[in-house]
Amino acid sequence: MATKTIDDTSKTTQKETCVGTSLKPLNSEYGKVAPGWGTTPLMGFTMALFVVFLSIILEIYNSSVLLDGIPVSWD
């Protein structure tokens, strides 16, 4: 065995706090998954919109898309 505990002084006991007690219900469904695809299509749609947003920002930065009345100077 690579590690070995010589005495019990290195073991720590868990301290229960009011923050931990109040957050415990949020972790009660750990490991459970929704049946089927769940919200995966919504996540995919959101990611696609984000890619479109980033490509628009990139085109504005490259001056591929010129907006009327908005000067773009990166100097």
Side-chain angles (χ1 to χ4, degrees):
M1 186 182 324
T3 59
K4 185 176 181 183
T5 303
I6 303 295
D7 54 5
D8 290 339
T9 58
S10 63
K11 294 182 181 179
T12 60
T13 59
Q14 295 181 352
K15 188 186 293 186
E16 189 164 332
T17 63
C18 58
V19 175
T21 305
S22 62
L23 292 177
K24 194 169 210 157
L26 297 176
N27 201 23
S28 63
E29 295 188 12
Y30 173 75
K32 295 180 183 176
V33 294
W37 285 91
T39 59
T40 305
L42 179 64
M43 181 181 62
F45 179 72
T46 305
M47 290 173 62
L49 285 179
F50 187 63
V51 167
V52 169
F53 169 74
L54 288 180
S55 64
I56 290 171
I57 296 298
L58 180 63
E59 290 180 7
I60 291 173
Y61 180 75
N62 278 339
S63 298
S64 301
V65 174
L66 298 176
L67 302 175
D68 293 333
I70 299 176
V72 178
S73 63
W74 304 104
D75 298 331

